[in-house]
């Protein structure tokens, strides 16, 4: 499986703006063929341990069955529309892709 994890830092990180981005993630990025797991949400408040990276506002987690599913997702019109409609408020986007195995 391939885990695609994206952390968005927003220029306007108000409650309303972060809510709009989370909603857009659900609208455009969920339900793609080959998705094994999908979740999107905001930075968890109150978890401020020394090891926590707090430099983001919204997190996206998508696990794909394989690299091919991930590659199709990257070119899918819904994914491209998500980028086009939301990129103006992105201050920073960090993408972490990893090959993962589940023990469940």
């Amino acid at each position: 499986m391939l885990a695609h994890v994206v952390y968005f830092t927003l220029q306007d990180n108000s409650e309303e703006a972060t809510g709009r981005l989370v909603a857009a993630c659900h609208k455009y990025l969920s339900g793609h063929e080959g998705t094994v797991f999908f979740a999107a949400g905001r930075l968890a408040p109150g978890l401020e341990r020394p090891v926590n990276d707090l430099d983001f506002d919204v997190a996206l987690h998508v696990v794909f069955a394989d690299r091919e599913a991930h590659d199709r997702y990257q070119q899918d019109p819904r994914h491209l529309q998500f980028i086009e409609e939301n990129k103006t408020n992105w201050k920073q986007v960090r993408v972490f892709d990893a090959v993962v195995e589940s023990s469940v």
Side-chain angles (χ1 to χ4, degrees):
M1 293 183 293
L2 193 145
H4 177 66
V5 181
V6 183
Y7 294 95
F8 299 92
T9 305
L10 304 180
Q11 294 181 59
D12 170 10
N13 66 347
S14 66
E15 192 76 15
E16 183 179 308
T18 57
R20 279 194 307 268
L21 185 58
V22 171
C25 287
H26 284 277
K27 178 179 180 179
Y28 293 110
L29 306 180
S30 64
H32 286 267
E33 182 182 346
T35 299
V36 175
F37 175 82
F38 173 90
R42 302 168 194 220
L43 172 70
L47 293 176
E48 298 177 6
R49 299 172 299 152
V51 296
N52 284 57
D53 183 337
L54 305 175
D55 192 24
F56 72 96
D57 300 299
V58 172
L60 169 70
H61 301 265
V62 186
V63 178
F64 295 100
D66 52 34
R67 170 71 186 265
E68 291 75 21
H70 166 270
D71 292 351
R72 285 190 306 272
Y73 162 88
Q74 289 297 328
Q75 299 305 315
D76 189 280
R78 289 176 54 223
H79 178 253
L80 299 175
Q81 185 173 357
F82 167 81
I83 294 169
E84 191 59 35
E85 289 184 12
N86 293 282
K87 67 183 179 181
T88 59
N89 193 32
W90 297 343
K91 182 177 181 180
Q92 181 182 35
V93 177
R94 293 180 293 153
V95 178
F96 300 86
D97 293 322
V99 175
V100 297
E101 297 176 12
S102 174
S103 61
V104 177

